[in-house]
């Protein structure tokens, strides 16, 4: 099998930690070029702009975008307009309307657009979905708590409008939730804590209803100290399902379950899954754009009560 040339746009923490290792392990793709004004990766041709890449490398049919969501739309639109297939890091953009516009452009040009949700590729998520498929869900508890200073050190964009703040990690929980539940949910209320010097929330509590009333409560926090807590607990009419460690570990009534063919308990396996899925989409000339996790975030903003929180000082941020 001949590997497809792929370009990676935005060589920041997520690209170096996850995308580049996943591409190095992939039989389907070869990292042929990067786009970054701050430097690419050793041994790979780098360009300052997407436009420069497109002009110089017509041999690259697929482009994966890892830039912050606020600046992703223009580059993705340029790539699609030039006839290239596009993969988007989560969240797929800064707004729902811009992703819909990209989806229409891809469809009109017969191209693949893949809006990714890496947590859906965690080892135990498929097994959780299968187990819940014939159950009646009585309640869901989400605890998604991590230290922003560990996972997003010095990244100011996350506190600017469109950066999502605590919802950048919490949208991973929502992507799992919408994947595994056998019913649809919608946000009914939220309390969101905004630091006085930030445009996005740092913590919050969100409530969601299912078809028959209250169903989901989520407690999300970006100032959590210690090991990250990424957990969903689903009470059913039968037993209790727990997905822990971001979807890597599955328990039924506290008893650990076999995760299936892929048992990585870290995020690297998730990105292997993303690129395998992108290859499948390219082979079938189809797109995958599921915006339900992003809709839940947007509705939390719309319905949420704003609570003023203390100023957030990030000691890992380098002064300009």
């Amino acid at each position: 099998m001949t590997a497809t040339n792929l370009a990676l746009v935005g060589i920041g923490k997520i690209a170096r930690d996850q995308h580049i290792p996943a591409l190095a392990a992939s039989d389907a793709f070869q990292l042929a070029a990067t786009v970054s004004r701050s430097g690419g990766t050793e041994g790979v041709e780098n360009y300052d702009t997407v436009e420069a890449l497109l002009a110089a490398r017509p041999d690259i049919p697929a482009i994966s975008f890892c830039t912050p969501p606020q600046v992703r739309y223009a580059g993705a639109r340029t790539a699609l307009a030039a006839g290239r297939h596009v993969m988007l890091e989560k969240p797929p953009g800064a707004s729902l309307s811009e992703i819909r516009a990209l989806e229409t452009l891809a469809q009109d040009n017969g191209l693949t657009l893949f809006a990714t949700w890496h947590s859906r590729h965690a080892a135990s998520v498929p097994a959780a979905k299968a187990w819940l498929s014939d159950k009646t869900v009585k309640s869901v508890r989400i605890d998604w708590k991590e230290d922003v200073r560990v996972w997003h050190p010095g990244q100011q964009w996350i506190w600017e409008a469109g950066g999502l703040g605590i919802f950048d990690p919490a949208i991973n929980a929502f992507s799992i939730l919408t994947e595994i539940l056998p019913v649809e949910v919608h946000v009914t209320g939220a309390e969101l804590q905004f630091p006085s010097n930030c445009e996005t929330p740092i913590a919050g509590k969100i409530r969601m209803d299912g078809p028959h009333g209250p169903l989901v409560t989520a407690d999300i926090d970006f100032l959590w100290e210690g090991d990250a807590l990424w957990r969903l607990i689903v009470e059913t009419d039968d037993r209790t399902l727990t997905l822990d460690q971001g979807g890597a570990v599955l328990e039924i009534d506290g008893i650990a379950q076999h995760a299936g063919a892929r048992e990585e308990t870290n995020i690297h396996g998730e990105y292997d899954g993303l690129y395998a899925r992108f290859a499948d989409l390219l082979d079938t000339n189809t797109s995958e754009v599921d915006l339900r996790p992003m809709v839940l975030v947007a509705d939390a903003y719309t319905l949420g009560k704003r609570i003023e929180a203390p100023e957030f000082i990030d000691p890992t941020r380098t002064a300009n």
Side-chain angles (χ1 to χ4, degrees):
M1 182 178 73
T2 302
T4 298
N5 283 337
L6 179 140
L8 200 56
V9 180
I11 309 301
K13 188 177 190 310
I14 193 64
R16 296 188 185 279
D17 289 354
Q18 308 302 340
H19 288 262
I20 292 174
L23 287 166
S26 174
D27 293 329
F29 294 102
Q30 173 179 297
L31 181 56
T34 60
V35 176
S36 175
R37 287 191 173 91
S38 59
T41 185
E42 186 177 355
V44 179
E45 194 171 39
N46 184 64
Y47 297 87
D48 286 342
T49 66
V50 172
E51 289 80 2
L53 166 75
L54 296 171
R57 297 298 300 271
D59 62 313
I60 297 178
I63 303 180
S64 180
F65 283 83
C66 306
T67 49
Q70 299 99 318
V71 299
R72 199 175 297 152
Y73 171 78
R77 183 173 184 86
T78 298
L80 289 168
R84 315 299 172 94
H85 306 286
V86 166
M87 173 172 156
L88 302 170
E89 174 61 72
K90 68 85 192 171
S95 73
L96 291 164
S97 56
E98 69 182 30
I99 306 307
R100 289 299 187 200
L102 293 177
E103 185 178 24
T104 298
L105 181 60
Q107 182 177 1
D108 290 347
N109 287 277
L111 298 167
T112 291
L113 178 66
F114 182 25
T116 68
W117 302 108
H118 67 79
S119 290
R120 289 182 173 177
H121 292 264
S124 292
V125 169
K129 180 178 181 179
W131 190 86
L132 288 170
S133 63
D134 61 352
K135 306 295 190 299
T136 298
V137 177
K138 298 169 65 177
S139 68
V140 182
R141 166 78 185 191
I142 297 172
D143 287 296
W144 218 260
K145 304 177 182 183
E146 64 182 63
D147 190 340
V148 65
R149 293 156 293 203
V150 172
W151 294 94
H152 292 276
Q155 295 180 2
Q156 180 60 23
W157 63 264
I158 208 165
W159 302 118
E160 297 170 353
L164 294 188
I166 180 55
F167 284 112
D168 182 79
I171 204 170
N172 295 331
F174 295 171
S175 72
I176 294 174
L177 179 76
T178 51
E179 177 70 8
I180 67 174
L181 284 192
V183 296
E184 295 292 320
V185 296
H186 61 278
V187 173
T188 55
E191 293 83 38
L192 306 178
Q193 297 181 29
F194 287 77
S196 58
N197 61 333
C198 297
E199 297 170 348
T200 56
I202 202 165
K205 298 182 186 297
I206 302 97
R207 301 178 299 279
M208 305 179 198
D209 279 11
H212 306 294
L215 190 65
V216 181
T217 58
D219 190 353
I220 58 179
D221 188 356
F222 231 166
L223 292 176
W224 184 255
E225 296 183 359
D227 293 338
L229 177 61
W230 300 320
R231 180 182 299 153
L232 293 88
I233 301 174
V234 185
E235 299 277 355
T236 77
D237 58 338
D238 183 7
R239 288 172 285 170
T240 299
L241 176 147
T242 301
L243 266 179
D244 212 343
Q245 297 182 30
V249 175
L250 172 64
E251 296 180 352
I252 305 297
D253 283 347
I255 300 173
Q257 307 295 303
H258 192 275
R262 184 164 55 84
E263 294 202 33
E264 294 91 344
T265 57
N266 58 62
I267 199 171
H268 292 291
E270 299 173 13
Y271 280 80
D272 294 341
L274 287 184
Y275 280 101
R277 180 58 180 158
F278 192 30
D280 289 342
L281 292 172
L282 293 179
D283 286 343
T284 56
N285 195 32
T286 54
S287 291
E288 185 172 294
V289 183
D290 180 3
L291 294 183
R292 288 178 296 165
M294 200 167 173
V295 168
L296 294 178
V297 172
D299 287 353
Y301 270 102
T302 300
L303 297 171
K305 177 182 178 181
R306 181 186 180 101
I307 299 172
E308 294 295 328
E311 182 178 1
F312 173 65
I313 304 299
D314 184 356
T316 66
R317 185 184 179 194
T318 302
N320 292 328

